[in-house]
């Protein structure tokens, strides 16, 4: 079955499952965007074997088109920048789509509902990761949240700074680590900085506890959550280097994944300021 046929059959099955969204097709004539939108708005519920197989075939074809990036494809900051950091052989800076990375784990900047982004084709990383992983990821997140609501009450929301591990499903990584970063509504303060540091610290602790040897961090809380990019990068760098200073043998590689040119420049400036 070729890629076009796979997409067509999967789309037909999605529309069959969600007849209430039939009008959506008028506003999204592009097939790929319509498929992603129907996946984005689908509530966590039972997934038939037929729908699951169609989805997995479609997402694996999409991944093959994007291309997988392995750990060996990503230089360390020692190789890339001749960094003098004592951890230069364990840290990388890589710009691109985090859903292409074949590493042990990637980090998702989640919201407090922990179910992914329901806004069709939204540009946030939460949407991108759930869209590439598939509907199984939302189902697992929903199961985890239902367990926590049973324990802590029906109005439970995931606190800022925690780290939750799930499978990666159709992503090339083995796991996704979900964290809820702080939202910077107004002026930045020490409490918000502490919350962001907790995100990094708890993710690294999660890696250590689950024997994860390579992890790719997104720029947590920047973008939609309005945390200043330069300060966020500074906190990320300090958290990672402090972890490596304490638990250097517990992890093989930590990747700072950036998508925008501005974030790449910020991390490069940190490297140059500290060690060059």
């Amino acid at each position: 079955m070729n890629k076009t046929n796979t997409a067509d059959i999967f789309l037909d099955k999605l529309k069959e499952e969600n007849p209430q969204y039939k009008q959506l097709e008028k506003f999204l004539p592009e097939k790929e965007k319509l498929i992603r939108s129907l996946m984005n708005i689908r509530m966590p519920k039972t997934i038939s074997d037929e729908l699951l197989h169609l989805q997995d075939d479609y997402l694996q074809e999409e991944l093959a088109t994007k291309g997988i990036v392995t750990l060996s494809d990503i230089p360390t900051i020692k190789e890339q920048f001749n960094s003098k950091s004592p951890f230069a052989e364990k840290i990388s800076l890589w710009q691109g789509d985090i859903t292409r990375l074949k590493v042990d784990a990637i980090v998702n900047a989640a919201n407090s509902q922990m179910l992914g982004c329901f806004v069709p084709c939204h540009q946030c990383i939460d949407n991108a990761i759930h869209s590439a992983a598939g509907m199984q990821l939302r189902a697992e997140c929903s199961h985890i949240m239902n367990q926590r609501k049973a324990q802590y009450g029906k109005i439970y929301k995931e606190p800022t700074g925690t780290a939750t591990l799930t499978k990666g499903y159709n992503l090339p990584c083995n796991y996704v680590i979900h964290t809820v970063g702080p939202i910077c509504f107004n002026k930045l303060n020490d409490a918000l900085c502490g919350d962001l540091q907790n995100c990094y610290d708890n993710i690294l602790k999660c890696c250590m506890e689950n024997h994860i040897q390579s992890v790719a961090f997104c720029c947590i809380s920047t973008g939609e959550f309005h945390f200043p990019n330069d300060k966020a990068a500074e906190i990320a760098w300090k958290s990672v280097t402090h972890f490596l200073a304490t638990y250097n043998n517990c992890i093989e590689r930590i990747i700072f994944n950036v998508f925008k040119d501005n974030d790449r420049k910020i991390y490069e400036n940190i490297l140059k300021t500290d060690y060059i």
Side-chain angles (χ1 to χ4, degrees):
M1 188 181 297
N2 62 42
K3 183 177 178 181
T4 300
N5 288 341
T6 302
D8 287 337
I9 296 170
F10 179 40
L11 177 56
D12 287 342
K13 196 66 181 177
L14 282 172
K15 290 192 290 186
E16 179 185 319
E17 187 194 46
N18 298 282
Q20 68 270 36
Y21 299 121
K22 188 175 182 180
Q23 298 299 316
L24 192 62
E25 193 166 10
K26 294 181 180 179
F27 304 100
L28 290 167
E30 296 178 43
K31 187 187 305 179
E32 290 77 12
K33 288 186 177 180
L34 181 57
I35 288 173
R36 180 167 173 172
S37 296
L38 289 171
M39 292 174 66
N40 292 159
I41 61 181
R42 186 183 188 275
M43 297 299 292
K45 57 184 177 182
T46 302
I47 310 170
S48 70
D49 289 341
E50 182 183 8
L51 182 61
L52 195 61
H53 290 318
L54 287 169
Q55 174 213 246
D56 291 351
D57 287 344
Y58 172 76
L59 291 179
Q60 287 303 307
E61 289 181 359
E62 288 290 297
L63 177 59
T65 299
K66 290 189 297 186
I68 294 173
V69 178
T70 67
L71 201 59
S72 62
D73 297 322
I74 303 173
T76 64
I77 59 173
K78 181 178 179 62
E79 297 166 327
Q80 193 173 11
F81 304 110
N82 194 30
S83 170
K84 305 305 179 185
S85 165
F87 315 113
E89 294 182 346
K90 295 225 172 204
I91 297 175
S92 294
L93 173 62
W94 186 79
Q95 184 175 16
D97 180 356
I98 200 170
T99 67
R100 297 174 59 202
L101 295 181
K102 187 175 178 61
V103 293
D104 283 350
I106 64 172
V107 173
N108 178 34
N111 58 52
S112 61
Q113 300 298 321
M114 286 282 289
L115 297 179
C117 173
F118 284 87
V119 179
C121 294
H122 194 251
Q123 294 302 303
C124 68
I125 194 165
D126 197 14
N127 189 296
I129 288 175
H130 273 265
S131 296
M135 295 177 283
Q136 303 100 308
L137 182 55
R138 179 168 284 168
E140 183 177 357
C141 288
S142 177
H143 176 70
I144 291 169
M145 288 300 286
N146 285 339
Q147 288 183 321
R148 292 176 182 174
K149 286 178 180 179
Q151 182 176 0
Y152 300 114
K154 292 182 179 180
I155 62 171
Y156 174 83
K157 293 182 180 180
E158 190 66 18
T160 301
T162 61
T164 299
L165 187 72
T166 66
K167 295 178 182 178
Y169 299 101
N170 284 287
L171 292 160
C173 62
N174 295 322
Y175 302 102
V176 180
I177 304 176
H178 308 260
T179 191
V180 181
I183 301 174
C184 192
F185 288 110
N186 298 302
K187 188 176 180 180
L188 188 64
N189 56 46
D190 290 343
L192 292 170
C193 291
D195 286 341
L196 185 58
Q197 182 174 327
N198 286 338
C199 290
Y200 283 94
D201 291 347
N202 285 321
I203 290 165
L204 291 165
K205 180 181 178 183
C206 177
C207 289
M208 189 166 59
E209 290 174 346
N210 291 280
H211 309 290
I212 290 169
Q213 288 296 301
S214 56
V215 60
F217 282 100
C218 62
C219 298
I220 304 166
S221 277
T222 60
E224 294 295 318
F225 283 12
H226 307 294
F227 203 102
N229 298 58
D230 53 351
K231 186 63 178 178
E234 178 187 324
I235 292 169
W237 176 260
K238 288 182 177 179
S239 297
V240 163
T241 52
H242 181 267
F243 174 82
L244 290 173
T246 309
Y247 304 105
N248 190 37
N249 296 325
C250 292
I251 200 160
E252 177 184 345
R253 187 83 66 86
I254 297 173
I255 301 165
F256 293 115
N257 169 247
V258 298
F259 193 73
K260 298 177 181 178
D261 291 339
N262 181 51
D263 286 314
R264 181 180 180 86
K265 290 176 183 176
I266 288 170
Y267 274 96
E268 287 178 350
N269 286 336
I270 289 174
L271 290 171
K272 292 173 183 177
T273 301
D274 280 4
Y275 295 108
I276 295 177

